[in-house]
Amino acid sequence: MSTNQELIQQINQLRKKRHAVILAHNYQRPEVQDIADYVGDSLGLAQQAAETAARVIVFCGVHFMAETAAILCPDRLVLMPDPNAGCPLANMITVRGLQKKKSEYPEAAVVTYVNSSAAIKAESDYCCTSSNAVKVVQAIPANRPIIFGPDKSLGRYVERQTGRSLILWPGYCPTHHRILARDIKAKKQKYPEAKVAVHPECTEDVINLADKVASTSVILKYARETDAKEFIIGTEIGILHRLQKENPGKRFIIASRLTDCPNMKLTNLEKILWSLEDLAYEIKVPDEMARRARQAIQRMLELT
Ligand code: 13P
């Protein structure tokens, strides 16, 4: 029996004993995705966390995602197998900075991308993910200014989709910004029949070359439902696992092999086993902060 199989056997025994559910993001390592009870995008993971009856949630993703689960399920034990899995984009906005911006635009609504800390969500009126950012912004009266952060690329995309001008925070995802327009053009030359699907965290010039701009789960849906046989994919490389597994007859070409998010790859089978053994590492959000952040997340969930 291979080491992985032994680990999986031990994880399976322990997850039952602990009444645990394993949630994994679409960017996780293939072997982590394969043992998860649910694999999805940020929105799907938040919805799963909100609905689960399990006592323990082992969250295989990055810190803000586990925090979102902890905010939505204060009575569950939310664990991260490796709590060092952070998000550089989420770290690009500070509470002090956001409060300053709010004082400059006191009448503005604050719409915060889910890739942000609980403390930032607590300062926000609405949360959004890449799959519902346009909908959330459209739900806000047209005459109300909107502070949108921390992702300026997603914000710019929302501006173009809604025709509204937003007060953009200058954050960005370093992994998605490694995809260059010339990468897409070169792949398009080599695979002229391919459809281009990219994440809205990509730069505007990359987005301009895409047939589809969407969250990870919506890219997966697009690949399943579109007749094309070849796709150029502009997002984190971990998504290839599900794309290939779900569409054996289709070909997926990653736009850039530099799109390997080191934080997303920190979680592995061994750490999941240790997490279940030791019930570690617990992700907890202080009550008052969680209450305020929950309002912003729930407003989003109600809209979607
Ligand atoms: P999705 O919500 O599309 O899964 O994206 C999450 C993310 O963090 C992208 O960098």
Side-chain angles (χ1 to χ4, degrees), residues 144-293:
R144 190 163 180 206
I146 297 175
I147 299 170
F148 188 98
D151 192 308
K152 64 178 178 185
S153 300
L154 175 64
R156 183 71 197 111
Y157 173 70
V158 173
E159 281 190 323
R160 296 210 296 164
Q161 291 299 302
T162 60
R164 285 179 76 156
S165 164
L166 306 174
I167 302 152
L168 295 179
W169 195 269
Y172 63 95
C173 165
T175 299
H176 283 92
H177 275 219
R178 270 182 225 123
I179 304 167
L180 305 178
R182 68 164 186 255
D183 296 329
I184 307 272
K185 285 179 190 155
K187 295 280 174 351
K188 265 300 262 185
Q189 241 180 8
K190 200 161 167 203
Y191 305 96
E193 300 300 318
K195 293 281 181 202
V196 179
V198 310
H199 197 277
E201 286 179 21
C202 289
T203 57
E204 193 170 345
D205 53 348
V206 167
I207 286 177
N208 285 343
L209 299 168
D211 298 294
K212 181 78 180 169
V213 183
S215 79
T216 52
S217 285
V218 180
I219 290 178
L220 283 152
K221 185 168 182 282
Y222 176 70
R224 281 193 302 270
E225 293 176 357
T226 305
D227 283 342
K229 290 275 173 270
E230 292 177 336
F231 296 83
I232 296 162
I233 302 295
T235 189
E236 208 274 348
I237 198 163
I239 199 175
L240 289 184
H241 178 61
R242 263 189 83 184
L243 282 168
Q244 283 157 350
K245 200 167 144 180
E246 292 175 5
N247 306 280
K250 297 182 179 182
R251 180 177 193 164
F252 299 96
I253 303 115
I254 196 78
S256 163
R257 299 210 72 84
L258 300 176
T259 53
D260 199 352
C261 171
N263 290 289
M264 281 286 179
K265 300 307 177 316
L266 282 177
T267 305
N268 60 26
L269 291 179
E270 236 165 356
K271 292 180 194 175
I272 293 171
L273 178 61
W274 296 336
S275 175
L276 283 163
E277 278 173 351
D278 298 341
L279 292 178
Y281 295 88
E282 183 177 0
I283 304 301
K284 255 196 123 30
V285 179
D287 287 348
E288 180 51 19
M289 186 188 288
R291 189 191 62 75
R292 292 169 58 211

Side-chain angles (χ1 to χ4, degrees), residues 25 27 41-42 64-65 113 115 130 176 199 201 215-216:
H25 189 265
Y27 296 157
D41 66 0
S42 308
F64 74 82
M65 297 179 177
Y113 189 31
N115 297 41
S130 55
H176 283 92
H199 197 277
E201 286 179 21
S215 79
T216 52

